[in-house]
Amino acid sequence: MNHPRWGLMSPSLLLTLVMLPSLPIASRDTGAQSTTGKHDAARIARTAWMRDAKWGISMHYIREQIDPRRRLAPAQWNERVENFDVETLAEQVKASGAGYFLITLSQCGGYFLSPNATYDEILGRNKQTTWFPKRDLILDLGKALKKRSIPMIVYLAVEPPIRGDGEAVGVLRPIGQKHSRDGHVISSDEGWRIFAAHWERVVREYSLRWGDLVSGWWFDGCWFGQLSYKNAPNWDSFLTAAKSGNKKAVVSFNHAYIKLRNLPPPQEDFISGEVRHPNRSFVTGPFQDRVVQNHVFSALGSNFGTGNEPRFRDDQLRTIADNFTEQGCLFTWDVPFESDGTLKTAFLQPLKLFDAQVRDRSSRYEQWKARTGGRVVPAGNLAYKRRARLVSRPKDARGGGPDQTSTLLPAGRHIDVAGNGIDGDMNTRAQASNQWSWKFFVDLLREENCSRVRIQFHRDNYPTHFIVRAGNDRKVWRELFQSDAGDGSPVEIRFEASDIRFVEVEAVKPDGPNQKGTQMGITELEVYAE
């Protein structure tokens, strides 16, 4: 996460992120064999608390955000750290309903939230020349959060302070310098290995000091293959250092898979998950590679650590909550802060709204699992949990696809969203607002060879005249069925097998008040291959 840019996340870390129609977060393929057995079970067990927590808050309290022009002296940074209000922040996190808190220890600016004697020893600095604050802010914050039963995750870049402390970079990663032993010029590869050994020591000191106050680590900047070696320092030895104070701590590496040197990826516990547009993506399950906890990390403000108001509307926040946390995926919102380390008040109510949606959706999901045993009802439905939209119907034109039209707001309560028409639950429905006649549009995300569509309309809200169409990737549409005698009964349409990606149901009537059927509501749309 090298701010202010987005997009350094490798697509293989999570999913292919695209403009609407969105694609699901799918398992990555690194070419390495996934492990099996007790080790897998242990990793899944380590992240169980995260699935219970469901979502959390992050804060990028770093020099790069506070002092982008690099004018802040170490003494001024020390003053900021001293004035950081951990108790008020911890109360805000508790009030939001968040299940954990992620705090940045440092990124690449040379300033940290806690001192480290090992770091100063490596650089040859003392109490007079150190850049560290006197206060161990992470320790104090961890205690404040623990009093409220809120786990803490610590963020740290696995990079030297390239954006603020050139002296430290030269010592920690001495690429191009003459080696003190025999005078040879240190290569890029050797320089990174020297850095990795130093950084292990720095992380180990922090981990041992904080112990179980730290429930997890989120390591950034692992792009350079600096840990992909068979022998230490490598991924395994770095993990050992990070977990030296708490062996149960979960760990994530924000990295690319292009520099693994034909070695397996690190044994991380959860995905780093950095995503710019969470409203344009969703997940299909709690794990990747069968054992790694799914996680999405995005900014609620204009960017990480910045912004004066949320960039998502309430309805978008509810949809994001549904698309991720219902499937067992962890979600972290980065929230802008005040100078005293408290969250900006403009974000507090949206966070509570997000939490309410997460808890409500989770409760209804558990009820659905209790009724169905968690099975897709019935099995084989290709439309289940894909993409759906509520689309307006132009009065002067007909035809397939949503491109010519606008997406509608859901009707009445926020739970009547498009996804309810493909959620396998007959107790929910998709129903639009503001127009009597409208279209329900479903994207299967890829072409599927299909021969059957089944539609269950709501018992009190159904179309009397409707058209069902199907389209392929080339947006060639054909009409599958049309009826002007709809009475709310289930409709099953069989046709010659063909490649289909899109299905839409267009309600022609009712098209005004006081008409039979009132307005189309779709309880479930199902698509099958047979």
Side-chain angles (χ1 to χ4, degrees):
M1 186 186 303
N2 287 268
H3 311 304
R5 293 187 298 161
W6 293 82
L8 289 181
M9 182 190 69
S10 166
S12 62
L13 287 178
L14 264 172
L15 52 86
T16 304
L17 301 174
V18 298
M19 301 295 288
L20 285 171
S22 305
L23 291 184
I25 294 182
S27 297
R28 59 176 181 240
D29 180 7
T30 64
Q33 294 292 323
S34 296
T35 57
T36 58
K38 292 183 179 179
H39 184 64
D40 280 3
R43 292 170 75 185
I44 292 173
R46 265 198 306 274
T47 56
W49 70 264
M50 304 183 95
R51 289 183 291 282
D52 291 338
K54 301 188 185 305
W55 75 281
I57 294 173
S58 160
M59 179 182 289
H60 268 63
Y61 198 90
I62 53 176
R63 190 255 184 97
E64 293 90 317
Q65 298 292 356
I66 297 169
D67 179 37
R69 296 185 180 182
R70 305 178 188 177
R71 295 176 178 176
L72 205 65
Q76 294 170 302
W77 179 255
N78 179 70
E79 184 179 355
R80 279 184 171 269
V81 173
E82 287 291 334
N83 293 327
F84 194 108
D85 188 350
V86 297
E87 290 295 331
T88 299
L89 172 60
E91 270 304 303
Q92 288 178 319
V93 176
K94 179 181 178 181
S96 74
Y100 57 90
F101 187 75
L102 189 156
I103 182 71
T104 50
L105 170 60
S106 181
Q107 196 179 65
C108 300
Y111 288 176
F112 292 70
L113 294 184
S114 298
N116 190 287
T118 301
Y119 186 97
D120 273 345
E121 175 199 326
I122 294 168
L123 297 184
R125 292 176 178 172
N126 54 39
K127 292 181 179 180
Q128 287 69 45
T129 58
T130 185
W131 284 31
F132 284 112
K134 295 178 182 178
R135 181 187 187 187
D136 189 336
L137 179 55
I138 300 296
L139 183 68
D140 290 347
L141 178 60
K143 291 177 179 179
L145 291 169
K146 187 174 183 178
K147 284 193 300 185
R148 297 162 175 87
S149 301
I150 301 171
M152 180 175 66
I153 299 173
V154 175
Y155 166 110
L156 179 65
V158 186
E159 294 183 76
I162 56 176
R163 291 198 289 269
D165 190 351
E167 177 191 10
V169 174
V171 175
L172 292 167
R173 191 189 62 185
I175 296 172
Q177 299 181 35
K178 290 185 177 180
H179 201 287
S180 59
R181 185 179 64 247
D182 57 13
H184 74 269
V185 177
I186 298 173
S187 67
S188 176
D189 188 64
E190 184 181 7
W192 274 111
R193 300 221 72 191
I194 291 171
F195 168 77
H198 287 324
W199 218 236
E200 271 188 25
R201 294 179 59 206
V202 170
V203 169
R204 181 177 287 106
E205 179 184 321
Y206 279 132
S207 181
L208 288 172
R209 186 194 313 158
W210 297 330
D212 63 4
L213 290 177
V214 174
S215 297
W217 292 87
W218 198 98
F219 290 112
D220 201 1
C222 307
W223 309 106
F224 312 105
Q226 65 264 51
L227 296 173
S228 291
Y229 293 93
K230 290 183 178 179
N231 302 316
N234 58 9
W235 294 115
D236 291 339
S237 62
F238 193 83
L239 273 169
T240 299
K243 296 188 177 192
S244 57
N246 181 8
K247 297 188 184 307
K248 296 181 180 179
V250 294
V251 176
S252 177
F253 293 101
N254 197 18
H255 60 92
Y257 289 100
I258 58 176
K259 296 183 179 180
L260 290 176
R261 297 185 176 87
N262 296 317
L263 296 172
Q267 294 293 297
E268 58 189 342
D269 298 299
F270 67 107
I271 299 298
S272 57
E274 189 179 347
V275 173
R276 171 60 174 163
H277 298 291
N279 56 319
R280 299 176 184 175
S281 52
F282 65 105
V283 298
T284 57
F287 300 110
Q288 292 189 34
D289 293 345
R290 296 182 294 114
V291 295
V292 185
Q293 173 64 43
N294 237 332
H295 171 230
V296 171
F297 190 8
S298 195
L300 190 52
S302 57
N303 207 327
F304 285 86
T306 62
N308 294 314
E309 60 183 22
R311 62 190 177 103
F312 297 110
R313 303 185 309 271
D314 288 356
D315 62 306
Q316 291 176 308
L317 291 175
R318 291 180 177 116
T319 299
I320 291 168
D322 291 350
N323 286 347
F324 293 100
T325 58
E326 182 188 0
Q327 297 301 313
C329 178
L330 199 66
F331 198 101
T332 303
W333 282 120
D334 187 80
V335 181
F337 51 85
E338 304 289 357
S339 60
D340 65 352
T342 57
L343 303 175
K344 287 189 175 182
T345 55
F347 294 83
L348 300 182
Q349 190 57 39
L351 289 171
K352 292 178 181 178
L353 180 147
F354 184 81
D355 179 68
Q357 180 69 4
V358 167
R359 307 299 169 187
D360 175 66
R361 191 73 176 185
S362 175
S363 174
R364 289 189 288 120
Y365 180 61
E366 291 302 322
Q367 292 171 13
W368 172 79
K369 283 205 300 184
R371 290 195 306 270
T372 66
R375 298 183 301 275
V376 178
V377 184
N381 176 13
L382 298 172
Y384 175 71
K385 291 291 186 182
R386 293 314 183 198
R387 285 279 79 184
R389 292 172 65 185
L390 313 177
V391 179
S392 64
R393 175 178 175 266
K395 295 180 179 179
D396 57 350
R398 293 184 184 178
D403 298 342
Q404 61 188 332
T405 61
S406 59
T407 300
L408 300 170
L409 295 174
R413 297 176 298 161
H414 66 262
I415 62 170
D416 291 332
V417 296
N420 286 349
I422 51 172
D423 64 356
D425 189 343
M426 294 300 178
N427 293 308
T428 64
R429 72 177 184 273
Q431 189 166 328
S433 65
N434 303 325
Q435 295 186 27
W436 292 103
S437 59
W438 60 283
K439 298 198 294 185
F440 184 61
F441 178 84
V442 175
D443 180 359
L444 304 180
L445 306 180
R446 64 184 181 187
E447 285 190 345
E448 302 278 5
N449 193 257
C450 307
S451 62
R452 182 164 64 98
V453 172
R454 187 178 189 276
I455 306 165
Q456 176 66 63
F457 296 110
H458 189 264
R459 60 184 179 276
D460 298 321
N461 300 95
Y462 55 87
T464 53
H465 183 183
F466 62 97
I467 306 167
V468 182
R469 301 184 185 89
N472 58 20
D473 268 340
R474 299 179 301 282
K475 296 186 178 179
V476 176
W477 290 82
R478 63 171 172 146
E479 184 174 305
L480 299 179
F481 182 79
Q482 182 169 176
S483 172
D484 59 2
D487 60 2
S489 300
V491 174
E492 184 144 341
I493 307 163
R494 294 185 178 273
F495 49 93
E496 184 177 348
S498 59
D499 291 336
I500 288 175
R501 174 172 173 176
F502 308 106
V503 177
E504 72 170 20
V505 183
E506 178 179 355
V508 180
K509 287 184 177 296
D511 59 0
N514 303 316
Q515 295 183 25
K516 182 181 179 181
T518 309
Q519 183 198 33
M520 180 172 72
I522 293 183
T523 300
E524 204 69 20
L525 185 145
E526 302 162 5
V527 180
Y528 299 95
E530 80 287 354

